[in-house]
Amino acid sequence: MFRTALRNVLAHKARLLMTVLAVLLGVAFVSGTLVFTDTISDAYQKSSAKGFDQVDVAVRPEYQDSKGDKVGRTPELTRALLDRAAHVPGAASATGVVTGFTALAGKDGKLVGGDWQSAGGNYWGTGDPRYPLVSGQVPHGKGEVLIDSATAKRTGYTVGDRVRLSVDGPVLTPVVSGVFTTDDGNVAAGGSLVLFDTPTAQALFGKKGTYDEIDVRAAAGTSQRALKATLDRALPAHLVETTTGRQLADDQARAISASMSGLRQTLLVFAGIALFVGTFIIANTFTMLVAQRTRELALMRAVGASRRQVTRSVLAEAFAVGAVAGVAGLAVGVGIGAGLRALLGSFGASVPDGPLVVRPGTVVAALAVGVLVTMLAAWLPGRRAAKIPPVAAMNSVHAKATTKSLVLRNTLGALCAGAGVAVVLAATSMDADAAQGPMGVGAVLLILGVFVLTPLLSRPLIAAAAPVLRVFGVAGKLARQNSVRNPRRTAATASALMIGLTLITGMTVMAGSLQTSIDKMAGAAIRADYVVSMANHGPLSPDVARRLAAADGVTASSPLRDGESRVDGGTEFLTGVNGADIGRLTDLKVTDGSFTVGGTRVVVDEDAAGVHGWRAGSRFTAHFEDGGTRRLTVAGVYEGNDLLSGILLDNKVLTPHLTDPADMKVMVRTADGASGAAKDRLEKILGSNPAIKVQDKQDISHETAQMFTLMLNMVYGLLAMAVIVAVLGVVNTLAMSVFERAQEIGMLRAIGLDRKAVKRMVRLESLVISLFGGVLGIGLGVFFGWAAGELLGTKMPTYELVLPWGRLAVFLLLAGVVGVLAALWPARRAARLNMLAAIKAE
């Protein structure tokens, strides 16, 4: 039986080619994902580990948790602590580390390194071992800086060039005194690193006389653990915490691995979708292959083969196909992994150098997925074939499904689909966080139910196309009849396309609705013409707000200043505003009281009001970080959003209690409204600062929606794999259908149907099946998009369902194009059949 199975594989190469391709694509996606994420993770881990080569023990401040009514604070690492650490037994040296955001402008005036990867730091002494100099000399004072060699190469800056940069305030124009190399992971990923001398870095980053971290090197013969133990005894435990360099490297490796796991899981989900779609094709293929060989299998049963042997022969055939597809898919997956890494470079992202990583687990996973998926899909057709009595199989009395089996299938499908709809609808009324699990279960149940019901749904939906098909005469009539002749085969083919379009449509509906709600939120919450913020969303210097308030043409402005307080024994974050102007800069919906901010009168969002039981007229005591207190009155309660939320109070009340005031944003309204000229004028007032963004409502909406757009484009690209697999399924089904109907096609040719009409018949059949799958997919996608939107609406008051009719029409058109393209080869094959040979075919 094993030899027979191998013979069947070799005898039907063309029939199984599409199945191999379907499995191959799924396996390639899985293995490519594993290779890509392992390679990137390994490269970053090795690069980050190099960054800790100069650190044996790191000393960091230990955050002091708040006690009673006092706000928690972070202790400072002073020069005295550094000197004490440098002189403990076993310490060779100690380096004070200062870091912060530093925006460097390229020669084109644009920010270098990206919003989050533009960093600055201090160069220690005359020969910092962390940053070996390539050229030039160490910096001295505010007028000199060092830049990393990767940034120098990208920007074209050399020693002696003057550059423009900013930390959180005015633009500085120092000279590049030198260029250094570094193993910093952010620089390897395309970021920039600018170094100042230590006093300058401390002054710029608000760390006068203090450090963010103290790195201690061990003397020869002293281990990291021994040095850590000595430092723990010598330094005040309530102020600092110590960590070995090895532990830092391990923690960084775990963090990198954790960050990559999200990407890996996302990619593997889409690989699973491709495999799920491929399973339909494999099951469909083996069902048709077994049906074509029914008499052959019956003859084997008649000469002594048992049911188990027949099933095993089909599974052996599937094993051979899965093994070939697994090996080929692994090879293609390695290429995909390498290609994805190269693709990052084309998008401007740099990845640390490192070898392509193919772990043993990746090889095992690829082969296991290929073999298991194929054998699982082939098991049911093999088992069904083994249960057919030999005499019945030889007489073909088994060919049609019984009424009982169809009733059972439709009943199960209806129950499954009904349960799925009920669970999804129930989830829409639950809390968003708790509803994710039930929503996923309901979606799976509904998709499975619709798949089971697809043979039943195919007849009325395909019948609806009859008036259009009549236009094509006999070919159109035959195409309709062929589409409904074998509902199960049609269902399996259409379902593969349905799943891909369901996901694409659902994501498109959600993304379009989110974009509309974000536009509404930006328009509804803000009356200001512009919002000024740091490129990395960090704190702004208060000088920015002062300069904007004094600028010509500015009629109203308000900084949004962050503060922390203790209220009713818990921590509450405050936002300081310009009480006189905030009403003209915002348009927040007030649900209780009035939007009045000034003196001791504050406004609070609904969340804070709900937690504390506040309403208009309520009074509470705020305990500030400097130990001071203030009795405040709630003037009103408003609906918060992602732009404004929490407790808003006047800066005249908040600022005196802050040790280091800093603004997160500055809202500005101009006399002439938003315009290109007004925006340019504000940017020039701020010195064309590369660290600062001046955005109008449209810019804010675009930035907020950008991640959704990026995610949607990524989903389209990933789901394209499932659509390709679905196309292969349509091709496979049509090709095997043509083989099955060879005698029928030969007869049609003999009685006068020409080759063009045969081609038209097969193409129309493919078109009808593809559109059937497209209609089901778009319908399910709209339903899931609505359901997911109901959950988002609980967290986003401005959310509303928007159906992108234009894109839905494009998706339906895409389904039709898939059908036409998939039919090209099967139609050509059908038209070229020799009519006499086909008529004589068994």
Side-chain angles (χ1 to χ4, degrees), residues 3 9 95-96 161 319 423 453 527 548 635 736 769 773 782:
R3 289 197 300 270
V9 172
T95 302
D161 288 344
F319 177 84
V423 173
L453 286 173
R527 287 181 181 173
L548 289 171
M736 300 188 74
I769 293 174
V782 170

Side-chain angles (χ1 to χ4, degrees), residues 729-748:
V730 178
V731 174
N732 205 19
T733 300
L734 289 174
M736 300 188 74
S737 177
V738 167
F739 179 83
E740 267 188 346
R741 305 195 322 254
Q743 191 175 53
E744 174 190 323
I745 293 172
M747 187 66 70
L748 290 172

